[in-house]
Amino acid sequence: MSEKAPLLHYRLTTSTGPEQKDVPKLRRAKADRDDSRSDDKTARKLGVVFGVVIPTLLSMFSVVVFLRIGFVVGQAGLYQSIAMFLVAYLIITMTVLSVCAISTNGALDAGGAYYMISRALGPEFGGSIGIMFFFANVCGSALYVLGLVEAITSAFGVPEEDTAVVAGLHQVLPSGYWWSLLYGTILLFLCFIVCLVGAHIYAKATFIIFIIVMTVLASIFISFFIVGPVVVILSDASVLNSTGLITSNYTGLRLHTLEGNLLPNYTVDYTTRVMMSFATVFAVMFNGCTGIMAGSNMSGDLKNPSYSIPRGTLAAVLITFVTYNLLSLLAACSCDRHLLQRDYSFLGDINIWPPMVTIGIYSSTMSAAMSNLIGASRILYALSKDNLFGGVLALARKTSRSGNPWASVLVSWLLVQVVLFAGKLNTIAGIVTIFFLLVYAAVNLACLALEWASAPNFRPSFRCFTWHTCTLGIIGCLVMMFLINAIYAFASIAFMLLLLMLIHYLGPISNWGYISQALIFHQVRKYLLMLDVRKDHVKFWRPQVLLMVANPRSCIGLMTFINDLKKSGLYVLGHVKLGLLDGLPSDPLQSRYDSWLSLVDHLNIKAFVNLTLANSVRHGVQNLLFITGFGGMRPNTLVLGFYDDCTPQDHLQGKILLSTGLDAVCRTTDLSEQRSPFFPSVRGAEEAKDFQEEEYVSIIADAVKMGKNVTLARYFNQFNREEVLGSGRKTGAHRSMTGPFVDVWPLNLLRPDSRGYVDICSLFLLQLACVLHETRAWNQARLRLFLCVEAGCSLQEEEQKKLRVMLKELRISAQVHMVAWDQVVALHWQRQGRESEEQSAQDEERGERREVEAAETEGGVQKFPNNAAQLTDEYICAVNNLIHRHGAPQPAVRFLYLPRPPADTSRYRAYLHQVDLLSQDLGPTLLIHGITPVVTTDL
């Protein structure tokens, strides 16, 4: 695992170890990167004050502070107003703590909150939230433009014809929906021009606006203490069904005025004609808190984002909280309730110089609109750079020579223009609030996930947060979303999930790192420690398979079949490379894991990969059996390909396997440069094998010594999963008449006198066949169980009845076929008479029991009982022909009993020869030797 995204400079695509032919191309790419980095450095000019504090303050000091303070206090009363601010600032403070933690944990690039979320939670979650955040900024920009239009038309608009209000000399602007839309379009175009020039012009403009807004706020506070009682004439639009002039009172700081404004008094909003409630008022008020991300959105333009964002955002939040509460208190102490509810621009009526508030409204609202517009453009630019939506956002990736993303600014401007058609300020306030709350919840979730993952590299310099603050922020955001508008909340979450799925299935692979992997590791480690091998029980046994693969090119059929056989158990692909580390500069296997994992992805199998380096195949298999797995997740079954003279076939020839791992983004997309995965060519017919027959049987014996079940897989180069399972699906209701069939021969056919239908190995065969049948892909297969009996044996019916009872107790559904094999068993060397047969079998069984008992007392070193059977090729071929004759229709796979290897190593070659004759030309066959109990009839 290499560090592809250095701390100081995140990049989406990198390359490690390029080939010589790509050097000129890489040099050009490096030069381009160097140019972009130099441009990036020149573009990053903003510090704490200009980059974070001023944009954040101006985003929060806009509509709410000038146009909605009276609305909030007049509708909710002072008590509920303070409660709203406390709840709102509790939520955003939790979010700000999470933002500070993430932003101080490494270098930030353009995109602000989107960049933080995507790099923490991955591209799917980050991309979906990024789109939501983009739309939230778009709607927020439109919200502020509409607020400014409302203020302009209130001050300079001509009263409507059906009103009794006389127009003043300054009221010359036409009123109406379309005129308001025109004014909004003009104002938005001015914001667009500033943002199009660049962030440095925006920063200078906001500083000038900041000075103006601070001056206006100072005049407002002074006016509350200096200006005496005033009678305010309300505009006709603010009074329902009015027939004349309506007035209201500004009393100055009076106790009785405060007492009248303490409790809530919800009425109809005169701009939307909608009845207000706590939730609707909170939705409007909360927009004054959504500007906390204005500084974060400028992360790509800050000199030091990790330093500036925490300090600037916390300072802005504290200033706005104190200002809002002071203004609410002063308004409640000095203004009549009727004035607060019917004149949202009352601060201008009571100011020492009324035009001052108007200037403040225009300046701050324009600044907030610009802030959201430039924030939306930066988020869109970051999304387009990450290429999460393919070519859809390709246009937004274009920048000017100075690095300003003009195309993103243009797209954002057009979308804000579309939102302006909503027309009323409070109409879209709820939508904007829902979007921002969802983004805040995602930021808290990102920080919570990083904290819970306990990754060593998550060590932010800002430590004033815990998982409790993150959880509180998430809960607060979600609760307020549904309180404000449950329909909007459900719709926004559904939209986010839809985007998440689209990005997951259509988006490219990133190398940002996935928090899900860290969380999974954390949980898996915890549960592996809880998985106690001492509590294993046969009721919960499942196959945990180590499949040894010499060359994946020739083992595709077997690998897919074992994936079906594992029954949600552990599945490990093992491979031994011959050689030693002595004299090698590095481990040669590390570079090959990616090809193996690509093959796993291509075959769609759920398997781990474990490669080892050893001086012999036997030692390599021993190493894998010793070290593979953790705790209670260790292989209990070893699967080997069969040792025969068949020439391997290359099933991967001409195929290109694309990895879904994190390194996929580092690969070329040029099809001419893509290559097949790195696997050696298959062995030719004349080439020697890596080991001899004796070593192959020794591997089987070693596995039995280590307490592992052993399975030999033969002729699986003929196994085609799609053809086999496709035939079963096509037959559907007629599956009882057609395949696929699975044949099970549970008797040790090389020892006909053992009568071992219920020994451990036979039951293991039945269990594996049943496990295969229970998988979804093989549930239409039919099990056929072949019981070998002698026609003249009086126990034939009794044996069949006993077997059926056993199958019923084990809940195994199978067709039992009685196979008469008198002529075959007569060829066995022991068949000289019934008494001598039984006595010989009994003597042999007693001898085996003595050998096993002796093995338990000899230091744990197990010895195999000698196989006294002198089997002839004629008998084994007769058994093979018997299996052939009872194989119609042709089964998909056969399960045969694998005898135990002999204790005498000199007989290994003869043993392999006998097994070879037994399974010759039978098609896909599993020869199985089980040594562990796997079935039970208990609950």
Side-chain angles (χ1 to χ4, degrees), residues 572-584:
V572 181
L573 300 177
H575 173 72
V576 179
K577 178 175 174 56
L578 296 180
L580 294 174
L581 275 178
D582 298 343
L584 295 177

Side-chain angles (χ1 to χ4, degrees), residues 239-296:
V239 183
L240 301 177
N241 301 321
S242 63
T243 57
L245 293 176
I246 304 298
T247 62
S248 189
N249 298 317
Y250 167 75
T251 64
L253 299 177
R254 296 289 186 271
L255 183 59
H256 71 274
T257 305
L258 175 62
E259 292 174 350
N261 289 325
L262 291 178
L263 300 177
N265 181 20
Y266 294 105
T267 60
V268 176
D269 175 29
Y270 72 87
T271 61
T272 61
R273 303 295 193 262
V274 175
M275 184 65 187
M276 292 292 102
S277 64
F278 179 90
T280 54
V281 173
F282 180 83
V284 176
M285 183 278 302
F286 191 80
N287 284 284
C289 309
T290 54
I292 61 170
M293 292 295 184
S296 301

Side-chain angles (χ1 to χ4, degrees), residues 18 142 192 234 309 355 388 397 473 613 650 659 698 746 759 786:
F192 167 67
L234 301 180
I309 290 176
L388 295 183
R397 211 174 300 146
L613 191 68
D650 189 350
S659 173
S698 297
D759 67 354
F786 293 90

Side-chain angles (χ1 to χ4, degrees), residues 367-386:
S367 173
M370 284 191 294
S371 175
N372 279 264
L373 180 59
I374 200 169
S377 67
R378 295 308 188 263
I379 296 166
L380 183 62
Y381 176 62
L383 285 166
S384 65
K385 278 204 311 181
D386 291 343

Side-chain angles (χ1 to χ4, degrees), residues 682-754:
V682 296
R683 176 178 54 85
E686 305 299 327
E687 296 181 34
K689 298 181 181 180
D690 291 334
F691 56 101
Q692 300 302 315
E693 293 97 326
E694 291 81 358
E695 185 177 359
Y696 178 77
V697 181
S698 297
I699 293 172
I700 301 174
D702 292 342
V704 175
K705 288 179 182 179
M706 298 169 68
K708 310 294 183 184
N709 310 296
V710 179
T711 299
L712 308 183
R714 189 173 191 186
Y715 294 124
F716 272 86
N717 59 327
Q718 305 173 10
F719 178 79
N720 189 312
R721 185 176 184 272
E722 294 182 358
E723 292 182 2
V724 169
L725 300 182
S727 64
R729 283 193 293 268
K730 292 175 183 177
T731 55
H734 306 288
R735 64 180 184 178
S736 60
M737 301 174 58
T738 59
F741 289 98
V742 177
D743 289 358
V744 182
W745 295 76
L747 179 67
N748 185 354
L749 297 173
L750 299 187
R751 286 184 52 194
D753 302 300
S754 62

Side-chain angles (χ1 to χ4, degrees), residues 211-256:
I211 298 298
I212 296 173
V213 171
M214 290 298 105
T215 304
V216 174
L217 278 176
S219 73
I220 290 174
F221 281 110
I222 294 172
S223 298
F224 277 117
F225 295 96
I226 294 179
V227 176
V230 175
V231 176
V232 180
I233 300 176
L234 301 180
S235 63
D236 182 69
S238 67
V239 183
L240 301 177
N241 301 321
S242 63
T243 57
L245 293 176
I246 304 298
T247 62
S248 189
N249 298 317
Y250 167 75
T251 64
L253 299 177
R254 296 289 186 271
L255 183 59
H256 71 274

Side-chain angles (χ1 to χ4, degrees), residues 484-551:
I484 292 169
N485 193 310
I487 296 176
Y488 287 165
F490 276 117
S492 61
I493 293 175
F495 182 53
M496 181 197 72
L497 294 177
L498 176 63
L499 290 172
L500 189 148
M501 289 187 291
L502 286 175
I503 298 173
H504 177 74
Y505 289 107
L506 303 178
I509 303 301
S510 73
N511 65 342
W512 306 335
Y514 288 77
I515 190 65
S516 59
Q517 295 297 304
L519 290 172
I520 290 170
F521 176 88
H522 186 72
Q523 294 301 312
V524 167
R525 181 193 63 84
K526 180 172 70 175
Y527 286 114
L528 274 176
L529 291 173
M530 297 170 62
L531 191 60
D532 193 343
V533 294
R534 296 168 295 184
K535 298 179 181 178
D536 282 347
H537 194 278
V538 67
K539 288 190 298 185
F540 308 111
W541 180 90
R542 68 183 70 230
Q544 304 196 86
V545 182
L546 171 62
L547 170 63
M548 296 305 304
V549 180
N551 191 334

